[in-house]
Amino acid sequence: MTDRARLLLVGAGPRAIMLLERLLARTDEHTLLDIDLVDPHPPGAGRIWRRAQSPLLKLNSMTRDVTVFTDDSCTIDGPVRPGPSLNQWLELWRVGELPDVDLDELSEAEARALGPDGFPTRRLHSHYLDWFFRTTAASAPAGVTIRQHADTVAAVRPTADGRHLVVLATGSEIVTDAVAYCLGHTERDLDPATAALAEASARHGLVYVPPAFTADADLSVIPEGADVIVRGMGLAAVDLVVLLTQGRGGRFDRAGDGSLRYLASGREPRLHLGSRRGVPYRSKVTSTLQGDPPQREVLTPDAVAALAASGHPIDFERDVWPLVATELLHGHYRELFTGHPDRVSTTWTEFRPVLRAHPWDSSALREAIAAAVPEPLDRFDVAAFDRPLAGARFLDEEDVQRQVRAHIADDLLLRTTEERSPAQGVFIAALLSFMALSEIPKERWNARSRAQSLPVRWHTFFSYLASGPPPHRLEELLALSEAGVVRFLGPDIEVTVTPHGFSASGPRVPGETVAGALVDAWLPAADAALSTNEALRELVTVHGSELRVTDAEYDGSLGRVRVSDDGQVLRRDDAAHDTLFATGPFTSLTEAGAFTRPNADSLSLRQTDRVAGAIAARLGVAVPVTP
């Protein structure tokens, strides 16, 4: 180690700059530290949130729910350095207190009109992240230098003196004491099934768009007026629909009766949407709680500690999902009984024990709920919420359209109106459950839970419940359906390739849909060893190791880089690298997202602070934290 320490961050998006802020929070006027940030995209926004993308693409979070700053809710070791949420930042800009923020014309118009309940564009969010980076960098003491490199890390090589030689794609080289990998989602080589589908598509002269970040997918290959099958109905599919409709000149118009109509440009394709559920992700909840404050009723700290201390490996489906489902029921009915007592026949004090007395999916519980809650729309059924079309039968394709439209209309009613605020109770219960499960040590789960149940069953359900699109996107989807630009395929669709085109069909929908184009609308699964990012692939195959889980019932790879709880990269022999760190969705750390909600003691800030503390300690730049 030299007198001046040097750190290189691979990536300069939100994760990297939040780590940078946590590092600088631990420095003072005596600190001697050089920090290099390497990313081909602008620091702060990075690739996903960069300004250079369509102004139609938005966050699925309201401005009041976005921050990159620590606050008094954070249970962290490093100093708390509060700052404005995205909404507060916009208020500061509007009153002229951010003279160093120069918004482009589109972003300026948006910033003047956007309220705390609005959903900002990614382009506007990029200005917030850029400001956060510049403000953070400006807070560095005199002995700390920060250098930006609009480049890509190609390789990291150990040197004879225990440091690292970082080779950039342009050929430049940087010698550093430590490296922290802060990458977000990256592209990857096609998996065998996707590669085979691409090959068959090309052989038959069909158009296939594989999984990708939608803003970077080549949608120019989709002809105007073409029939397109879209697999997936999550956020990537919503972005796809936006880019292929409004992005091609269509627009929405509010009729005199308040209904939304789509006015086509004629350049749109016809989009046929299907998925396992057959319905889009639930709308983002915009109502506010009316009743008692939320709390963990089932997944309490004591319950989580008991799970962790149990004498057998934890199985998500057997041991945890029933607790999560019951927690969601408590969230819904606490808000209904305490916030809307006129719509129930008893009190929360009397009804609360009923939820504990019966299994979450029992007929006895459903009967007890029906007796106490007269209005069916006020009732919450976890299984029906998860698979709303599970019991549906469809007479024909038009019946599919009617049933899916009715589901979307009900979802908008339940999740955006104050009288239906129990949906907010479910949302908060899901967040509390997510945080509770993060408290269980990873090694306590059985292999199948770690490889499948947690990343697929739980995280997919959580995203469906808590990370859906802004409500207006679903209202637009209804208008597009009414206009015939979007059609719904129903649940459990299967797609095959024929010489005549892609054929989509489902077991409960008569007939089939044939189209000349197919889009798989989801992000590719994270797999560090198959990433197209050279530095990440090298990290897992050369410097570190891939996370595998094995027990008597399951053996498999999770496609992630193994790291310790403080982000140190783990070698194949389990030894931790002293000077290689990593954080983000490609690591074995619990996925926590990048930025977060204010006043939520967020997992992402706790993780970032812990990794920053370990880096600062290793480089010898940490200063005592004032209590």
Side-chain angles (χ1 to χ4, degrees):
M1 194 76 69
T2 60
D3 290 335
R4 284 192 69 85
R6 191 164 191 177
L7 169 69
L8 185 139
L9 303 184
V10 183
R15 283 182 177 85
I17 58 171
M18 290 169 76
L19 181 66
L20 175 66
E21 189 279 328
R22 291 288 78 211
L23 280 165
L24 293 179
R26 289 170 161 83
T27 63
D28 63 11
E29 68 273 15
H30 305 295
T31 303
L32 300 177
L33 175 63
D34 298 318
I35 302 175
D36 296 275
L37 292 88
V38 182
D39 196 315
H41 299 287
R47 174 194 176 202
I48 302 298
W49 309 104
R50 68 186 188 269
R51 201 164 306 159
Q53 60 183 300
S54 170
L56 296 170
L57 298 177
K58 295 187 174 184
L59 276 70
N60 67 326
S61 297
M62 292 179 282
T63 55
R64 71 184 186 199
D65 287 338
V66 176
T67 190
V68 284
F69 288 96
T70 54
D71 55 42
D72 289 340
S73 73
C74 295
T75 52
I76 56 177
D77 294 330
V80 169
R81 300 206 303 184
S85 67
L86 177 55
N87 179 59
Q88 292 166 335
W89 180 82
L90 288 171
E91 292 175 347
L92 292 171
W93 178 82
R94 283 192 286 264
V95 298
E97 294 190 20
L98 298 175
D100 61 332
V101 174
D102 183 20
L103 302 183
D104 59 84
E105 185 176 351
L106 281 176
S107 297
E108 181 174 336
E110 180 185 357
R112 294 196 185 282
L114 192 65
D117 296 336
F119 291 83
T121 64
R122 294 178 189 164
R123 295 180 79 256
L124 180 61
H125 187 42
S126 75
H127 287 282
Y128 175 60
L129 295 173
D130 168 71
W131 174 84
F132 174 63
F133 167 70
R134 291 187 289 108
T135 302
T136 296
S139 74
V144 176
T145 65
I146 299 171
R147 300 182 181 90
Q148 306 165 40
H149 307 267
D151 211 328
T152 301
V153 173
V156 176
R157 298 168 185 160
T159 63
D161 61 355
R163 304 176 79 198
H164 301 281
L165 175 68
V166 179
V167 182
L168 306 186
T170 56
S172 300
E173 296 181 347
I174 299 171
V175 177
T176 186
D177 297 305
V179 178
Y181 296 77
C182 306
L183 299 166
H185 295 285
T186 68
E187 302 301 329
R188 52 162 284 174
D189 294 343
L190 298 183
D191 61 79
T194 304
L197 181 56
E199 181 182 353
S201 305
R203 189 167 60 249
H204 292 297
L206 304 174
V207 174
Y208 174 54
V209 180
F213 176 51
T214 309
D216 289 336
D218 181 9
L219 302 182
S220 66
V221 299
I222 297 177
E224 298 176 6
D227 286 296
V228 182
I229 294 171
V230 179
R231 290 197 295 189
M233 296 181 73
L235 296 179
V238 169
D239 284 347
L240 176 77
V241 170
V242 170
L243 293 176
L244 290 176
T245 56
Q246 288 175 278
R248 291 197 174 183
R251 62 185 180 88
F252 293 95
D253 178 64
R254 187 73 64 182
D257 62 0
S259 63
L260 194 67
R261 299 179 303 179
Y262 181 69
L263 305 178
S265 69
R267 297 171 51 212
E268 305 89 343
R270 288 180 296 275
L271 302 172
H272 305 267
L273 274 61
S275 67
R276 179 175 63 90
R277 290 188 178 90
V279 296
Y281 274 21
R282 298 279 180 168
S283 161
K284 200 75 171 184
V285 180
T286 59
S287 58
T288 54
L289 293 174
Q290 309 293 309
D292 290 351
Q295 62 183 34
R296 284 160 59 174
E297 297 261 9
V298 182
L299 284 165
T300 62
D302 287 345
V304 170
L307 277 171
S310 63
H312 57 79
I314 301 170
D315 181 84
F316 176 82
E317 302 289 349
R318 179 192 66 213
D319 303 321
V320 176
W321 173 247
L323 303 179
V324 171
T326 306
E327 191 74 78
L328 298 179
L329 288 168
H330 277 79
H332 176 91
Y333 288 109
R334 181 197 307 108
E335 173 62 13
L336 178 65
F337 278 78
T338 64
H340 307 276
D342 56 311
R343 303 218 299 267
V344 294
S345 62
T346 185
T347 66
W348 175 236
T349 301
E350 293 172 338
F351 187 76
R352 183 182 177 195
V354 174
L355 296 177
R356 296 292 190 96
H358 304 289
W360 67 275
D361 57 350
S362 67
S363 58
L365 180 59
R366 286 192 290 272
E367 291 171 4
I369 290 171
V373 183
E375 170 59 50
L377 273 179
D378 281 332
R379 301 170 193 163
F380 182 66
D381 184 305
V382 179
F385 179 89
D386 185 17
R387 297 295 298 270
L389 301 181
R393 292 294 180 268
F394 306 97
L395 300 176
D396 51 31
E397 290 185 7
E398 286 307 314
D399 193 29
V400 177
Q401 311 315 308
R402 286 190 293 270
Q403 292 201 44
V404 176
R405 287 174 192 163
H407 164 81
I408 295 173
D410 282 347
D411 185 63
L412 285 169
L413 172 67
L414 291 172
R415 294 169 73 83
T416 63
T417 55
E418 294 304 317
E419 61 267 25
R420 301 296 177 182
S421 63
Q424 185 69 250
V426 176
F427 173 69
I428 298 297
L431 290 179
L432 294 173
S433 298
F434 186 93
M435 295 179 70
L437 267 57
S438 73
E439 296 167 8
I440 299 175
K442 295 185 291 293
E443 60 273 11
R444 291 295 298 117
W445 298 97
N446 64 15
R448 189 173 300 279
S449 293
R450 293 187 70 183
Q452 295 180 347
S453 298
L454 288 169
V456 180
R457 169 85 161 100
W458 167 234
H459 283 268
T460 301
F461 174 81
F462 180 82
S463 296
Y464 167 72
L465 183 160
S467 298
H472 68 271
R473 291 301 192 207
L474 292 188
E475 189 183 11
E476 292 168 0
L477 198 61
L478 285 176
L480 289 165
S481 172
E482 295 287 352
V485 176
V486 164
R487 291 187 65 80
F488 303 112
L489 296 172
D492 300 314
I493 66 161
E494 296 287 340
V495 176
T496 58
V497 184
T498 75
H500 307 291
F502 297 102
S503 174
S505 61
R508 288 178 280 143
V509 179
E512 64 176 355
T513 297
V514 178
L518 169 67
V519 180
D520 278 339
W522 59 77
L523 282 175
D527 194 322
L530 298 177
S531 173
T532 56
N533 184 285
E534 295 179 44
L536 180 53
R537 190 182 292 221
E538 177 192 64
L539 176 64
V540 70
T541 58
V542 177
H543 304 306
S545 54
E546 193 171 25
L547 177 62
R548 295 190 66 87
V549 289
T550 304
D551 59 20
E553 298 179 354
Y554 185 89
D555 175 75
S557 168
L558 272 64
R560 297 178 176 230
V561 180
R562 288 199 309 145
V563 298
S564 67
D565 288 342
D566 59 7
Q568 287 181 284
V569 175
L570 299 176
R571 297 183 175 92
R572 287 180 175 79
D573 62 1
D574 293 335
H577 276 280
D578 288 339
T579 53
L580 291 183
F581 299 83
T583 183
F586 61 91
T587 71
S588 58
L589 294 171
T590 301
E591 170 58 18
F595 45 85
T596 185
R597 292 162 59 96
N599 302 307
D601 190 20
S602 79
L603 180 59
S604 62
L605 285 170
R606 283 184 278 143
Q607 280 184 353
T608 304
D609 185 77
R610 184 164 185 166
V611 175
I615 294 172
R618 174 56 190 162
L619 294 177
V621 299
V623 298
V625 176
T626 303

